[in-house]
Amino acid sequence: MTSEQDILAAAIVDRHAYDMLRLHMGFQELSPLGQHWLKHIEEYYERDEAAGSCDRKLLRTLGLQSASAQHEETLAGFYDGLPIIGGSPSNVVAAILEYQRNQVGLQLAACISNPDHDTERAEELVAQYQELLLATESGAHQLRYVD
C-alpha cells in the first residue's frame, strides 16, 4: 500500500503529480504532519507557477521555519523520512486512488461493524469504494466526489 509519505514525495519531485494529488485528495485525508507539508508544497508551487518540482532542501527549510519549536523535530523527522523518488504522474494517480480506496474501505468496515450502523452512510461508502475500484482498474484520472 502506498503511504502518504510516498504520495507527498511524488508531489515534491513532479508538479503534475502534485496537481493530481490536489485533484483527487483533500487535506483532510492526510495526517496533520502530511497536511503541514502539503501546505508548504502547495505554497511552493503557487509562488513559482513554472516550477516543475520543489527543491527538497528549500522546502524543508520553509516548512520548518513556520513550525513551533516543540513540533520542529517531529516535522523534520517526517520530512526526512520521505522517500527519494522519481516522478511518474500516472503512478502517482494510481497511488492516490489506492490510498483513497484503502481509506474508504476502512471507513466502510468500521461503519458496518457497528451493530447500529447508518445504512445510508454505508451505501455511500460502498458507492465510493466501487467508484475508486473502477477508477483504479480502468486508469481513470477523474473522480466526481472530490472536495
Side-chain angles (χ1 to χ4, degrees), residues 41-56:
I41 294 167
E42 183 170 70
E43 289 172 356
Y44 189 100
Y45 286 130
E46 286 176 353
R47 277 191 295 274
D48 183 358
E49 293 186 10
S53 65
C54 298
D55 178 288
R56 281 182 74 104

Side-chain angles (χ1 to χ4, degrees), residues 55-83:
D55 178 288
R56 281 182 74 104
K57 283 185 176 183
L58 179 58
L59 183 63
R60 184 183 191 279
T61 299
L62 293 170
L64 293 179
Q65 283 177 346
S66 68
S68 66
Q70 71 185 48
H71 296 121
E72 188 173 327
E73 185 177 331
T74 303
L75 288 165
F78 181 90
Y79 187 82
D80 294 343
L82 295 177

